[in-house]
Amino acid sequence: MWLRVIHLFGRHSTLQIKTQVKNKVGLARYQFMPHRRTLILTSCLKNEEKKVSPDKLDLDIWKTVMRDNATEAPKSLLSEDLGDSILATTRELVQMWQLAGKNVPENITDEQLSIVQELPSKSAKKKYLKYLAIKEGKKKATKEKQKLKQEAKHLEKERENEEGVTLKNTFLLQFWQRSFDIMYNWKAAQSMMFGQPLVFDMSYESYMTRREMENTVSQLLECEGWNRRSSDPFHLHFCNLSPEGAYHKELLKRYGDAWDRLLITETEKSYVDIFPKGKLVYLTADSPSVLNTFQHDKIYIIGSIVDKSIQTGLSHANAKRLKLATARLPLDDYLKWDSGAKNLTLNQMINILSTVKETGSWQEALKFVPKRKHEGFLSVPVEQRYTSRTKNHQNKKTINNEPEKRARWQKSTLNSNRAAEKTSNSYKKKRWWVEEDH
């Protein structure tokens, strides 16, 4: 309950007093002569709306009235406006850096701006913008090269037409391409039913930066395309793939609507929950054991990670934690690899494994290792070295046994000569006896 006290002394002054009276009180007025003081007590409810002049406005009443009368704006609209304002500020910041001569892309999307806004430091933002600028420059260079090639092809066609060369019929090329696509899809479907599984471990999101994750996804796209075009494709499994993770979002962005039509298996589950542990082999460069022979009944695992800083032992530690068998490729047995890390990209790994699977030769498979990483193949590979060692060992044995054989042969010849002499002497004695009788 509020009481409004109006004190009249030449001028009007108003004062509100809160009382403990809960029920309504009637109007109480005490009026005196104008030249005297006048006290007027008026009852006033707290939530009552009155038109009060701004000079005589009470702060508490104003707050309650504004809370009751104000219409609440939708939270979604507020969040959208806030997000738009943040994107606008980041865009202005990028434009300022561009005017200042920094290495910044000319065209940037809202998604890239949101990534820039989420980065913690100014140096990280500059590095990411520099990466986008380099990427944009490469795209422009490839487009210019394509234009030059198209112009050159057009000029060649015009010259051929002028010279009167017969044109080739390209009508059936579109059907040829469609038939190849159908064949590849049929092979991939057969591999999902009967093919050898190949697992990509997608549990390394937290160990990579944004740029490394994008490089990993681009390599996975190349792996899927190579496997689809191979004569005996693997059944690809993307395990430990979280639906709301960075991997899944980037894959959806790259593939688009074709993601749901891919003939691969993607799951949140771990490969330990899907396959028996006895058949799993984790391929890592830090493993002490060497993969000398490719086994078709094993299930090989490749860690989906692109690590510029080369964190050694990461995938090997993961395999040891799960108590899985590990193996590394026989690079030292076939290549002159003096120094440097023996880490290969995902597309190089699937190229090597598919070639070994089809041909069974490590020399053919390791041709996919970049030549910048090694000095060439060894003159005598391990298999030939092993066979040559066995042959040399056998030859040494034969050489060492030759004197023994000679001694044995001499003994045998001496024994035979002695036996012949004995027989001849006995024959002579008998002959002499016979002659004496005569």
Side-chain angles (χ1 to χ4, degrees):
M1 183 69 190
W2 292 78
L3 291 177
R4 183 173 294 163
V5 180
I6 302 174
H7 179 246
L8 300 175
F9 186 73
R11 294 180 181 178
H12 293 281
S13 61
T14 306
L15 177 65
Q16 290 186 355
I17 304 170
K18 186 176 180 182
T19 62
Q20 300 296 329
V21 181
K22 294 184 179 180
N23 55 357
K24 291 185 180 180
V25 180
L27 183 63
R29 291 188 180 181
Y30 298 93
Q31 294 184 353
F32 300 96
M33 294 300 291
H35 61 277
R36 296 181 183 180
R37 293 180 180 179
T38 304
L39 182 64
I40 300 173
L41 298 176
T42 308
S43 63
C44 178
L45 295 176
K46 184 178 179 181
N47 294 330
E48 185 180 2
E49 298 179 9
K50 294 232 178 223
K51 292 183 179 180
V52 185
S53 63
D55 297 334
K56 301 176 182 179
L57 187 64
D58 190 8
L59 186 59
D60 295 332
I61 296 173
W62 179 77
K63 285 181 180 179
T64 54
V65 172
M66 291 300 292
R67 284 173 187 169
D68 295 336
N69 295 335
T71 57
E72 294 183 355
K75 292 183 180 179
S76 61
L77 294 175
L78 290 172
S79 62
E80 287 178 1
D81 295 338
L82 184 63
D84 293 339
S85 64
I86 291 170
L87 288 176
T89 53
T90 51
R91 194 179 288 276
E92 288 178 359
L93 179 65
V94 171
Q95 289 176 357
M96 287 174 61
W97 284 350
Q98 188 176 5
L99 293 172
K102 300 292 179 67
N103 200 355
V104 172
E106 296 179 359
N107 300 319
I108 188 167
T109 61
D110 293 338
E111 185 180 359
Q112 293 170 349
L113 284 173
S114 63
I115 294 168
V116 171
Q117 190 266 329
E118 290 174 359
L119 292 173
S121 61
K122 187 176 179 181
S123 61
K125 292 177 181 179
K126 287 183 178 180
K127 286 180 182 179
Y128 182 69
L129 291 172
K130 184 179 179 181
Y131 161 70
L132 292 177
I134 293 169
K135 194 175 179 181
E136 188 180 29
K138 287 182 179 179
K139 285 184 179 179
K140 286 182 179 179
T142 52
K143 285 182 180 179
E144 289 178 357
K145 287 181 181 178
Q146 287 177 359
K147 284 182 181 179
L148 292 173
K149 286 182 180 179
Q150 288 177 359
E151 290 177 357
K153 286 181 180 179
H154 186 67
L155 291 172
E156 287 180 359
K157 287 181 180 179
E158 288 181 353
R159 289 174 184 173
E160 288 177 355
N161 293 331
E162 289 176 358
E163 292 175 358
V165 180
T166 56
L167 298 175
K168 296 179 181 179
N169 189 3
T170 59
F171 173 70
L172 296 174
L173 283 178
Q174 53 181 340
F175 303 106
W176 183 264
Q177 189 66 31
R178 288 176 190 174
S179 62
F180 266 100
D181 289 336
I182 293 167
M183 182 186 69
Y184 293 149
N185 291 332
W186 179 251
K187 283 185 178 180
Q190 283 183 334
S191 69
M192 290 188 72
M193 297 175 66
F194 311 108
Q196 183 179 2
L198 181 65
V199 179
F200 285 93
D201 189 4
M202 313 288 285
S203 62
Y204 297 98
E205 290 183 4
S206 59
Y207 297 98
M208 291 186 293
T209 61
R210 178 81 185 181
R211 190 186 307 177
E212 290 171 351
M213 188 270 297
E214 290 177 356
N215 290 336
T216 306
V217 172
S218 61
Q219 290 179 17
L220 287 172
L221 264 67
E222 292 183 9
C223 291
E224 189 271 330
W226 176 270
N227 183 67
R228 184 170 168 267
R229 292 189 299 271
S230 63
S231 60
D232 188 10
F234 290 98
H235 179 196
L236 298 182
H237 286 75
F238 289 176
C239 295
N240 296 321
L241 183 64
S242 58
E244 299 298 329
Y247 269 132
H248 192 259
K249 290 179 181 177
E250 190 67 23
L251 286 168
L252 286 175
K253 178 184 172 183
R254 299 286 186 92
Y255 278 108
D257 297 333
W259 172 253
D260 296 328
R261 298 193 301 270
L262 284 179
L263 296 173
I264 61 173
T265 301
E266 51 95 11
T267 179
E268 300 179 44
K269 295 181 180 179
S270 177
Y271 35 83
V272 181
D273 301 329
I274 301 172
F275 305 106
K277 277 190 175 182
K279 291 187 175 181
L280 294 174
V281 178
Y282 210 112
L283 297 177
T284 172
D286 303 313
S287 176
S289 59
V290 182
L291 185 67
N292 291 319
T293 56
F294 182 86
Q295 298 179 3
H296 296 270
D297 58 344
K298 296 291 184 180
I299 299 167
Y300 296 102
I301 306 167
I302 302 172
S304 299
I305 181 170
V306 173
D307 189 8
K308 298 293 183 183
S309 60
I310 307 176
Q311 300 178 13
T312 57
L314 190 62
S315 57
H316 188 240
N318 192 12
K320 287 183 90 174
R321 181 177 58 83
L322 296 171
K323 296 180 181 180
L324 298 176
T326 60
R328 58 183 171 87
L329 299 181
L331 300 176
D332 294 325
D333 298 335
Y334 290 89
L335 300 174
K336 295 178 182 178
W337 204 304
D338 293 334
S339 62
K342 297 178 178 63
N343 296 321
L344 302 175
T345 59
L346 303 180
N347 53 337
Q348 291 167 5
M349 286 294 295
I350 197 169
N351 292 344
I352 291 168
L353 291 176
S354 60
T355 308
V356 171
K357 181 184 176 184
E358 293 171 5
T359 62
S361 174
W362 282 110
Q363 284 185 336
E364 292 293 327
L366 295 177
K367 288 180 180 178
F368 289 98
V369 179
K371 293 182 179 179
R372 68 179 183 274
K373 292 189 174 183
H374 60 89
E375 297 179 358
F377 283 86
L378 293 171
S379 58
V380 181
V382 177
E383 297 175 356
Q384 294 181 7
R385 273 189 280 171
Y386 178 74
T387 54
S388 63
R389 282 176 185 174
T390 54
K391 287 180 180 178
N392 292 330
H393 186 64
Q394 291 175 359
N395 293 329
K396 285 180 181 178
K397 281 185 176 180
T398 55
I399 291 166
N400 294 327
N401 292 331
E402 281 183 359
E404 294 179 357
K405 287 181 180 179
R406 287 178 183 175
R408 289 174 186 173
W409 179 73
Q410 288 176 358
K411 286 181 179 179
S412 63
T413 52
L414 287 170
N415 292 329
S416 61
N417 291 331
R418 286 175 182 175
E421 287 178 358
K422 284 180 181 180
T423 54
S424 63
N425 291 330
S426 62
Y427 179 75
K428 285 179 179 178
K429 287 178 181 180
K430 287 180 181 179
R431 189 70 179 169
W432 172 78
W433 180 258
V434 172
E435 288 177 353
E436 281 182 354
D437 291 334
H438 286 291

